[in-house]
Amino acid sequence: NNNSAFAKKYVAEALALAESLNFPEGIAEATYVSGVVHSCCAEYDLALSQLTKAYEHFSSLDFPLSSNGQCRVARWLGIAYRNIGMPITSLEYFNQALDLAEKIFASTGNEVFIGFALMNIGDSYTLLEEHERGLDYRKRALDVALRTNDKELQSQALWSMARSAENLGSFEQAYSYYEQSFQLRAAVADYLGMGTSRYGMASVLEKQGKRARAMRIYRRLWETFKTGISGVPQTEAFITLEIARLYVDSEKPHRAVPFMKRCLEIAQSLDMQPMLASLNELFAKYHKRLGEFDEALKYYEEFHRISAALSQRESKQTVQYFRQAFDFERAQKETEIYRLRNEELASANAQNERLLLNVLPEAVAKRIKAGETTIAERFSDVTVLFADIVGFTELSSQRSPEEVVDILNRIFSAFDIFSEQYNLEKIKTIGDAYMIVGGVPNPCDDHAESVAKMALEMLETVRLLAKSMSVDLAIRIGIHSGAVVAGVIGQKKFSYDLWGDTVNTASRMESHGEAGKIHCTEHVMERLQGRFTFEERGFIEVKGKGLMRTFYLIK
């Protein structure tokens, strides 16, 4: 509730004790709690590392301890990725938590884990601005909470429902949910939870124009910090910022100054860069209200400087977090393989394998290592994706070569991570174009679905990276399913490539598409209908194909 330093101290002692006793369950639990603590402190690099280790520890335990632990870890991995702005990745982990929760319920009758997973899935859909869908999951979570009479789940589900109501403009309902959540948290002395519920109540009152009542709640929250039981300094910073903002907009703006100074003191001591950006913007607004325009300009300039630095830092972190997410997924799938692999043999073959895997799919590389000289085969059912970055040629003429390569590398690095995450095969890049395939060289039944999921991730990633790097870029994507011929060409430099009408049609879907959209053939739409949402484009004249009925993949 109030001291992250003590939390870290005690969890470190717990982990050391469990390790000294060689107590696997204790090691798993302490590692998990360590990840939770770091996540609550916004130390997401450490949080993701600890949570990943915890998942591996729990996987070695017997059921139900294994599923119980993995369920909680998956949920907190989802929370961490949600908090760093990766809602789609977080949604995947929350769904994984839900699958595990249903497995636990089937054998133990414990439904609480299902409620938490449903609530978190609803939170992610709300972040993706699918408010109605988010509300549906949150209602289901509240139903579970009431059915199980679990007070913690009830308080969190009510708070989550309040957020939905607030987003949908139902302020009276939102206030009621926040108030019920507060009462439940007060009953169990959850001081941090009480603070977030009160904060929500004040936010709703402010949106209703009831600024005086909102101010009273904010002031009461701030006063409780003197008792030392209300939460971490970061929370105090957010509260003092809200109080200051209300005063700046009031008839007595000078009353904001002590609160802005207190907020600044906390933000500087904890290096809260986003908070410092907001504070500089508020200081600028304050001086502007007083007619002190030179001072206002200084603060605005500092606000823009910090914001630009944050955007650059966040763009680097985004790719880093993508990599961590992928590494965790791969570790889960390959744990058993690595356990059985002989380390000495792996080391001897490592360099040769790295060279081959840089240019060839793993299955194909193994065949070449086994002595095959000609590799060519037909695949009757695959899905091909072409993507092209719109606006990149113009951007290339305006930026230095180093900047151009850096931008393209960030985008394609993220794409490479997605292709491995969804078990797809990257075929090649040509300039600013990117080509992948599903179902080659390893046939599978879900290749079209995997390609569709990756395409949606690609759209969102380019949008976020373009925003963070302040560049005007969009991506145009085309998808088609069908038969291809695949093989390796070249002697000194191997190249794995695809040929056939399916490849040509996918390429035509991309070139005849629109920026920021995923253009699909009717065949793709038919096989994915019911699992994804499409918008019909109608019949268009496609070069080399004639009239074709095509669709846009929406979500």
Side-chain angles (χ1 to χ4, degrees):
N1 269 327
N2 62 1
N3 197 314
S4 59
F6 276 118
K8 292 176 183 177
K9 173 179 179 293
Y10 287 121
V11 77
E13 289 181 9
L15 180 58
L17 183 59
E19 289 175 339
S20 70
L21 297 170
N22 193 25
F23 176 33
E25 182 184 346
I27 293 171
E29 194 69 32
T31 307
Y32 158 70
V33 175
S34 176
V36 172
V37 170
H38 286 300
S39 186
C40 290
C41 295
E43 298 167 350
Y44 295 113
D45 287 345
L46 295 172
L48 293 171
S49 174
Q50 290 296 90
L51 290 169
T52 301
K53 291 177 183 176
Y55 196 97
E56 294 170 356
H57 287 313
F58 278 119
S59 67
S60 66
L61 302 178
D62 294 331
F63 183 83
L65 292 176
S66 58
S67 294
N68 183 305
Q70 287 174 326
C71 179
R72 289 179 288 137
V73 171
R75 176 171 173 254
W76 271 95
L77 280 165
I79 290 171
Y81 280 111
R82 179 195 66 195
N83 290 350
I84 59 178
M86 295 172 62
I88 294 177
T89 302
S90 76
L91 191 57
E92 292 180 0
Y93 285 114
F94 290 145
N95 275 301
Q96 183 178 338
L98 180 59
D99 289 341
L100 288 163
E102 289 172 341
K103 179 180 178 182
I104 294 168
F105 175 67
S107 61
T108 68
N110 185 351
E111 199 177 4
V112 172
F113 289 117
I114 292 178
F116 279 111
L118 289 169
M119 181 183 64
N120 293 136
I121 291 171
D123 294 343
S124 286
Y125 277 123
T126 299
L127 280 177
L128 292 167
E129 298 186 359
E130 296 186 37
H131 297 298
E132 294 294 342
R133 196 171 183 183
L135 179 59
D136 177 63
Y137 275 96
R138 285 168 162 173
K139 283 180 178 177
R140 290 166 61 189
L142 183 57
D143 288 342
V144 174
L146 296 173
R147 194 160 53 243
T148 59
N149 199 32
D150 185 281
K151 300 302 181 186
E152 182 185 359
L153 177 57
Q154 283 183 26
S155 67
Q156 291 195 34
L158 285 164
W159 186 90
S160 190
M161 286 289 291
R163 294 283 289 175
S164 275
E166 187 176 355
N167 286 328
L168 294 169
S170 302
F171 297 129
E172 293 294 337
Q173 185 69 72
Y175 188 89
S176 174
Y177 282 134
Y178 279 131
E179 193 169 33
Q180 292 177 63
S181 173
F182 172 77
Q183 296 298 334
L184 284 168
R185 287 166 164 174
V188 295
D190 176 7
Y191 299 111
L192 186 59
M194 290 163 61
T196 58
S197 295
R198 273 182 168 166
Y199 191 93
M201 292 160 68
S203 172
V204 169
L205 290 171
E206 191 177 344
K207 289 176 180 176
Q208 290 178 296
K210 301 174 182 178
R211 300 166 65 83
R213 287 182 63 189
M215 175 65 84
R216 284 197 294 272
I217 293 178
Y218 285 136
R219 288 296 299 260
R220 191 156 61 244
L221 272 172
W222 181 67
E223 288 293 331
T224 60
F225 273 89
K226 296 177 182 178
T227 69
I229 61 172
S230 290
V232 294
Q234 290 96 326
T235 306
E236 184 183 359
F238 281 106
I239 293 168
T240 51
L241 180 68
E242 288 301 317
I243 296 172
R245 187 171 55 77
L246 283 174
Y247 274 134
V248 167
D249 291 335
S250 74
E251 297 300 319
K252 299 177 180 179
H254 62 279
R255 290 189 176 181
V257 174
F259 294 98
M260 289 193 290
K261 287 183 177 179
R262 174 57 181 158
C263 186
L264 181 62
E265 178 186 336
I266 298 171
Q268 288 178 332
S269 66
L270 299 176
D271 192 29
M272 299 171 66
Q273 290 298 312
M275 179 64 71
L276 289 172
S278 298
L279 267 173
N280 276 279
E281 187 178 28
L282 188 58
F283 269 113
K285 186 176 182 180
Y286 168 74
H287 286 292
K288 184 179 178 182
R289 282 210 64 187
L290 299 182
E292 299 168 354
F293 296 109
D294 287 342
E295 281 296 305
L297 181 60
K298 291 178 184 177
Y299 283 108
Y300 270 126
E301 288 175 345
E302 183 64 7
F303 161 68
H304 287 295
R305 184 193 68 78
I306 296 174
S307 297
L310 280 172
S311 293
Q312 186 176 13
R313 185 174 72 181
E314 287 170 0
S315 66
K316 294 179 181 178
Q317 286 178 335
T318 299
V319 173
Q320 174 190 343
Y321 290 135
F322 279 141
R323 290 189 183 280
Q324 284 183 269
F326 161 68
D327 288 341
F328 176 57
E329 291 280 346
R330 185 174 61 181
Q332 286 181 262
K333 296 174 182 175
E334 298 182 351
T335 299
E336 187 64 24
I337 296 174
Y338 286 127
R339 183 163 40 245
L340 299 173
R341 183 176 291 171
N342 182 286
E343 290 184 7
E344 183 178 352
L345 178 61
S347 175
N349 290 326
Q351 185 176 4
N352 182 39
E353 288 189 5
R354 279 198 300 270
L355 290 172
L356 282 173
L357 290 175
N358 276 339
V359 294
L360 298 175
E362 184 176 3
V364 174
K366 287 180 178 179
R367 292 168 63 182
I368 289 180
K369 286 174 61 180
E372 288 190 50
T373 56
T374 301
I375 295 179
E377 53 193 326
R378 182 180 299 277
F379 294 86
S380 61
D381 186 31
V382 307
T383 300
V384 179
L385 178 151
F386 278 92
D388 187 68
I389 300 175
V390 181
F392 194 79
T393 301
E394 182 180 352
L395 179 71
S396 301
S397 65
Q398 300 169 352
R399 302 286 183 117
S400 68
E402 293 79 8
E403 288 178 302
V404 171
V405 172
D406 180 60
I407 291 170
L408 199 59
N409 182 57
R410 290 187 187 185
I411 295 172
F412 282 175
S413 293
F415 290 178
D416 288 348
I417 293 168
F418 291 143
S419 66
E420 295 203 43
Q421 186 176 354
Y422 289 110
N423 293 318
L424 303 174
E425 191 64 46
K426 172 185 173 182
I427 299 301
K428 59 187 172 184
T429 59
I430 306 172
D432 59 349
Y434 192 93
M435 177 185 177
I436 63 160
V437 63
V440 174
N442 300 311
C444 60
D445 295 329
D446 62 348
H447 53 80
E449 183 175 352
S450 297
V451 170
K453 288 180 179 179
M454 176 169 172
L456 292 169
E457 294 265 29
M458 292 166 74
L459 278 188
E460 180 67 7
T461 298
V462 171
R463 185 185 69 79
L464 291 174
L465 291 179
K467 181 179 179 181
S468 67
M469 294 184 289
S470 299
V471 294
D472 185 17
L473 290 178
I475 189 169
R476 187 173 58 226
I477 298 176
I479 303 176
H480 181 53
S481 297
V484 298
V485 171
V488 177
I489 57 174
Q491 293 296 323
K492 293 184 178 180
K493 292 185 178 181
F494 292 126
S495 175
Y496 188 74
D497 211 340
L498 308 178
W499 300 272
D501 182 65
T502 299
V503 177
N504 296 335
T505 303
S507 177
R508 293 287 186 267
M509 288 300 100
E510 179 273 309
S511 61
H512 286 69
E514 296 181 17
K517 293 188 177 183
I518 303 167
H519 195 202
C520 305
T521 59
E522 184 175 10
H523 181 55
V524 171
M525 183 279 296
E526 288 175 344
R527 71 188 300 162
L528 294 179
Q529 198 169 21
R531 288 172 287 171
F532 294 85
T533 302
F534 291 87
E535 175 186 291
E536 183 167 359
R537 185 181 185 184
F539 286 90
I540 63 170
E541 183 71 31
V542 177
K543 183 179 178 182
K545 302 292 294 183
L547 277 178
M548 291 187 69
R549 187 184 180 206
T550 64
F551 296 79
Y552 287 122
L553 171 62
I554 305 301
K555 60 183 179 179

